[in-house]
Amino acid sequence: MQKFRIYAILAASLLASSVLPAHSATLRFGAQGDVTSFDPYVIDETFSSGFLGNVYEGLVRRAADLSIEPALAESWETLSPTHWRFHLRKGVKFHDGSPFTADDVLFSAARIRAPGSDFKNRLSPDTKVIKVDDYTVDFVTDVPNPIIYYQWGNWYMMSKAWAEKHNDHGPQKAGGEESFATLNENGTGAFKLTSREPGIKTVLVANPDWWGASSRQDNVTDVIFTPIPNSATRVAALLSGQLDMITPVPLQDIDRIKANPGTTVITGPELRTVYLFMDQFRPELLYSNIKGKNPLKDHRVREALYRAIDIEALKSKVMRGMSTPTALMVAPGINGSDPSFKRIPYDPAKAKALLAEAGYPDGFEIGLDCPNDRYVNDEAICVAVGNMFAKVGIKVKVNAQTKTKFFDKVLAPKLDFSLGLIGSTPPSFDSWAPINSLHQCPRVSPSSEVWAEGERDKVTNGKSNYGGYCNPEVDKLADQILKETDQKKRNDLIKQVWTITTGDIAYLPLHQQWLAWGVGDGVELKQRADDVFDWRYVKITK
């Protein structure tokens, strides 16, 4: 009954959006999941962050080809290897009409470092943010950082006055106190929020006072977004003309949509790497029949899991050829990616032998958490991998949930998992970001335990290192990479890190998934390789 009610609401929403005035250039699109929060600092997740990039803006932004271009900062300069100066764009107003100034940059810098923020690695702990005047801000670091602003494309500026007016206490994680920013916004971007019904519909309108209005390439007057978890319903809405764009297109429906008059599918490789993370820090593994120890701490067990994965079967049967198997945690196109790294071969017999050598001749039980509405065929991947593990004696219990519940669990202080499936796209499009976020040791201090009780929100290095992988040599090299200004030396250091981490089997990399966006006739758009849907490039011609 509840599912019928959701579909009935969806049908009514789509019907209402299909009877708009003829002169209105309305973009109607649907996706498999909803925006997690309208607070741009709550979760570092591509869909939510990319959606909010149409409402909020950063000092810099990414163009359709992912090059960096000015946004709220119209220019910047290097005063010394440790001193950057950003000149802010004058005349910019927030959606409530208040001016954007240096005070908002300083406020946003403090807020992104607040306990509930998932974007702490956008500013290193040593970075000092200094107001020079109302339209000039300096960033000063202890050591050189040649890519200081590469990760700022989705560090969005928030209004200090608006946050204070609404008694903002910083970004609030799910389950905590709901802040005003959860359901409301006050950005500077090209679109403004008009109504928000989580899980049902979100409506936005073009901002007539946007500073970039004179150069905008789109003609969209309003946007109606509908989250549609059910793939068949999502595809049917596109085929019937009730939606102009959907993402993602289920792989099995690509040919059907292409053959349908009035619709097509845009495909292309994505920069996201999909992988499994493993609990390597607990003394005893959760969701397992092995007591008093953690098998995943044993390199032989991790190698056995790796060798049990038939990556070509995943590609052909689950992903229908729409994936690129990978040995690295970064995709081709990310600085530091290196084709010389090869996957450990699929070898179930060797996997069984490794498990026996490690003391598990009969295997063991383990839990695998994954989302079912975030990545392409995410639940199907988990089920397939679980079956592959079972063939070598590892009995897997798959726990597939909506991305909201999945990320609540992953981001909770308890870290309640054994294995998990997740995807990652470096916001800097440089290897240092995943080295820092996924591979540096997630300790608050050298003397503390991994994920010390109550201390997780203070972590900057290893903020997404959910499995607690830790190698002091990687930490040392990561620090060198951050401050190295010679590109060749820097890439040599990156290769050293990938050599160590792939040798350690820090993660179980799977593939880079491919994008598949369904588009109706009369809609022009640009597909970004990072899976961000930028409405600045949409033209409605029907």
Side-chain angles (χ1 to χ4, degrees), residues 451-495:
W451 302 125
E453 183 68 27
E455 294 293 300
R456 183 174 184 182
D457 271 331
K458 297 179 182 178
V459 170
T460 51
N461 292 339
K463 82 171 186 72
S464 300
N465 185 353
Y466 306 129
Y469 167 76
C470 207
N471 186 315
E473 185 61 24
V474 170
D475 289 353
K476 179 181 176 181
L477 288 167
D479 292 340
Q480 293 177 35
I481 291 167
L482 180 62
K483 62 186 179 183
E484 181 55 65
T485 57
D486 183 286
Q487 190 63 35
K488 184 180 184 308
K489 291 180 179 178
R490 193 170 180 276
N491 283 343
D492 286 344
L493 292 169
I494 289 172
K495 185 170 185 176

Side-chain angles (χ1 to χ4, degrees), residues 231 234-235 248-257 265 267 314-323 376-377 381 511 513-516:
S231 296
R234 195 164 65 249
V235 170
V249 171
L251 301 181
Q252 66 271 17
D253 290 314
I254 289 177
D255 291 341
R256 178 185 171 204
I257 292 174
V265 179
T267 61
L314 276 181
K315 177 180 178 179
S316 62
K317 296 179 181 178
V318 178
M319 300 300 291
R320 297 178 179 242
M322 295 279 287
S323 66
V376 178
N377 284 0
I381 293 171
H511 56 243
Q513 64 184 24
W514 279 45
L515 298 172

Side-chain angles (χ1 to χ4, degrees), residues 311-352:
I311 199 67
E312 291 301 325
L314 276 181
K315 177 180 178 179
S316 62
K317 296 179 181 178
V318 178
M319 300 300 291
R320 297 178 179 242
M322 295 279 287
S323 66
T324 304
T326 183
L328 285 179
M329 295 292 287
V330 291
I334 301 296
N335 181 61
S337 178
D338 188 331
S340 68
F341 287 89
K342 306 299 180 185
R343 287 186 59 85
I344 298 174
Y346 169 60
D347 189 340
K350 177 67 173 176
K352 290 181 180 179

